[in-house]
């Protein structure tokens, strides 16, 4: 294999991107200094075309310099969505036609691959046609036993093999090892304090609001793209915490509230984020809303106190719009803990 620097190549439908694809991309990225990813199919998905699937991949691996996300490390991914205008051959075309199409497309773009990565039997012949080595990644599907065909046939049944961002685009939610309980509310309505108290009382863990973390790391200078990143990262942190939780996982805020803030700050919301917001009713076993009746604490990051009532109303409106049942909690921290535990049956 050529010495570094070298460029890797991964080609696939990614219809849809799943955990097996992530294993492939992350394994490849660990061995190269640049990774080229070509996304295409012919015929293509009429509901989620290649351009959309490529964007999901970009969002899955979009990091932030101020944040510590999982990402794919320092290796840049150059993700290309190809369509009919690029001369994409039919999926049923012979191997030579498929291989030659990629070779010529790379040449036209002035791109070169030094190594091909794949999880398919066609990989060695494809790499040989390009005159580069091949690296096989879990061809037997032993590490991640899933395929795009299985997901397209029964996405809900195999949603566990999908990243929550991708699953939301298909209208499904990956199963969780423990029930997730989410707390919503206006700024300074006691969500974090209540989550921490409940986690202590129930001997489990909780997930802080990642949007607050990134907001502080970026000194309050969030950009439009950060809102989707916040929702994606928060979902990942929930998944990580769920493996440590005992019986229940408490979550401070969800993607639906992140979508509200996207509209509040930027007057628009990324369609991917909207889809993540739309499945919140499926993602959480119960939703609690903290009444904005505790003393307001201005910590330098929050808006004025006068906004609390408006934010509270918007959250309730959104829950009603999505048809998500909720429980309003009021009173002191101890009283709120008791209310939640009674509803959950953990008192």
């Amino acid at each position: 294999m050529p010495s570094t620097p070298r460029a890797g190549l991964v080609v696939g439908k990614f219809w849809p991107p799943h955990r097996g694809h992530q294993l492939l991309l992350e394994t490849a990225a660990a061995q190269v200094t640049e990774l080229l990813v070509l996304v295409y199919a012919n015929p293509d998905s009429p509901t989620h075309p290649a351009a959309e699937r490529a964007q999901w991949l970009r969002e899955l691996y979009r990091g932030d310099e101020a944040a510590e996300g999982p990402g794919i490390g320092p290796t840049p991914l150059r993700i290309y969505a190809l369509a009919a205008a690029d001369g994409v051959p039919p999926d049923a075309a012979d191997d030579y036609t498929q291989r030659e199409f990629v070779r010529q497309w790379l040449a036209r773009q002035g791109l070169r691959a030094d190594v091909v990565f794949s999880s398919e039997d066609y990989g060695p012949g494809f790499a040989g046609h390009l005159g580069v080595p091949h690296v096989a990644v879990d061809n037997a599907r032993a590490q991640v036993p899933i395929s795009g065909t299985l997901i397209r046939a029964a996405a809900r049944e195999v949603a566990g093999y999908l990243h929550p961002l991708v699953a939301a685009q298909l209208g499904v939610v990956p199963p969780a090892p423990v029930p997730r309980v989410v707390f919503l509310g206006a700024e300074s309505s006691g969500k974090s304090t209540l989550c921490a108290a409940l986690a202590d009382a129930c001997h489990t863990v909780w997930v802080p609001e990642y949007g607050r973390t990134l907001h502080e790391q970026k000194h309050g200078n969030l950009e439009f793209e950060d809102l989707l990143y916040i929702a994606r990262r928060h979902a990942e942190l929930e998944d990580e915490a769920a493996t440590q939780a005992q019986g229940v996982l408490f979550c401070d805020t969800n993607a639906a509230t992140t979508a509200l803030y996207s509209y509040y700050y930027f007057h628009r919301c990324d369609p991917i984020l909207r889809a993540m917001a739309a499945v919140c009713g499926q993602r959480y076993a119960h939703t609690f809303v903290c009444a904005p009746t505790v003393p307001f604490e201005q910590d330098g990051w929050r808006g004025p106190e006068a906004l609390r009532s408006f934010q509270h109303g918007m959250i309730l409106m959104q829950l009603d719009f999505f048809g998500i049942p909720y429980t309003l909690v009021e009173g002191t921290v101890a009283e709120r803990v008791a209310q939640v535990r009674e509803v959950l049956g953990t008192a």
Side-chain angles (χ1 to χ4, degrees):
M1 188 176 294
S3 60
T4 55
R6 61 182 186 273
L9 174 66
V10 173
V11 174
K13 294 180 183 178
F14 298 94
W15 183 0
H18 52 65
R19 296 293 188 184
H21 290 132
Q22 290 187 254
L23 174 64
L24 171 62
L25 294 175
E26 290 160 21
T27 301
Q31 301 179 46
V32 296
T33 55
E34 178 183 59
L35 185 60
L36 308 176
V37 183
L38 307 189
V39 181
Y40 63 90
N42 182 7
D44 203 357
S45 167
T47 53
H48 302 293
E52 188 173 338
R53 303 195 302 273
Q55 187 59 25
W56 297 349
L57 287 174
R58 294 186 190 101
E59 290 301 334
L60 284 182
Y61 294 110
R62 187 182 85 84
D64 191 288
E65 294 179 357
E68 293 183 3
I72 213 162
T75 301
L77 270 68
R78 299 175 64 180
I79 302 171
Y80 300 88
L82 309 187
D86 298 291
V88 173
D91 293 345
D94 60 85
D95 287 344
Y96 176 83
T97 300
Q98 300 285 1
R99 297 165 182 174
E100 185 62 12
F101 163 71
V102 174
R103 189 192 69 79
Q104 292 186 22
W105 187 89
L106 290 172
R108 290 197 301 271
Q109 307 304 313
L111 299 173
R112 171 179 170 76
D114 300 305
V115 55
V116 167
F117 296 84
S118 82
S119 299
E120 305 288 349
D121 292 339
Y122 68 71
F126 174 43
H129 189 88
L130 299 182
V132 300
H134 173 257
V135 175
V137 181
D138 196 28
N139 272 36
R141 303 295 195 272
Q143 292 178 257
V144 187
I146 194 60
S147 69
T149 301
L150 285 175
I151 294 173
R152 291 194 296 274
R156 193 171 302 278
E157 288 76 3
V158 294
Y161 292 106
L162 296 171
H163 186 285
L165 181 150
V166 175
Q169 313 312 304
L170 305 181
V172 299
V173 173
V178 296
R180 304 170 198 254
V181 174
V182 65
F183 293 83
L184 308 180
E187 293 180 326
S188 190
S189 60
K191 301 188 304 298
S192 299
T193 301
L194 181 55
C195 281
L198 281 162
D200 184 61
C202 297
H203 308 292
T204 187
V205 297
W206 68 287
V207 182
E209 179 183 1
Y210 181 70
R212 168 63 181 258
T213 301
L214 187 62
H215 190 258
E216 292 182 7
Q217 289 175 342
K218 299 192 73 169
H219 307 289
N221 298 315
L222 293 180
E223 300 176 1
F224 172 71
E225 292 76 14
D226 291 326
L227 276 295
L228 175 54
Y229 176 74
I230 286 168
R232 188 209 94 197
R233 186 66 187 125
H234 188 89
E236 291 169 346
L237 291 171
E238 285 185 1
D239 287 351
E240 293 167 16
T243 64
Q244 307 299 321
Q246 300 296 317
V248 62
L249 175 65
F250 296 114
C251 307
D252 179 353
T253 307
N254 62 11
T257 295
T258 303
L260 277 182
Y261 277 109
S262 183
Y263 282 110
Y264 176 72
Y265 286 115
F266 302 102
H267 304 162
R268 56 194 174 114
C269 184
D270 191 291
I272 300 177
L273 176 52
R274 292 204 304 268
M276 295 184 72
V279 297
C280 282
Q282 301 176 51
R283 185 172 176 84
Y284 302 96
H286 202 95
T287 298
F288 291 91
V289 179
C290 295
T293 53
V294 297
F296 182 80
E297 295 182 10
Q298 179 53 266
D299 57 7
W301 299 104
R302 292 171 174 148
E305 181 177 1
L307 280 176
R308 281 207 304 179
S309 179
F310 173 76
Q311 292 170 341
H312 180 67
M314 291 299 294
I315 289 168
L316 298 182
M317 183 189 77
Q318 186 187 55
L319 290 170
D320 288 341
F321 179 82
F322 282 130
I324 300 174
Y326 62 90
T327 300
L328 186 69
V329 292
E330 302 183 79
T332 66
V333 174
E335 290 170 337
R336 293 181 179 205
V337 168
Q339 292 169 34
V340 172
R341 297 193 70 181
E342 181 178 0
V343 171
L344 297 180
T346 62

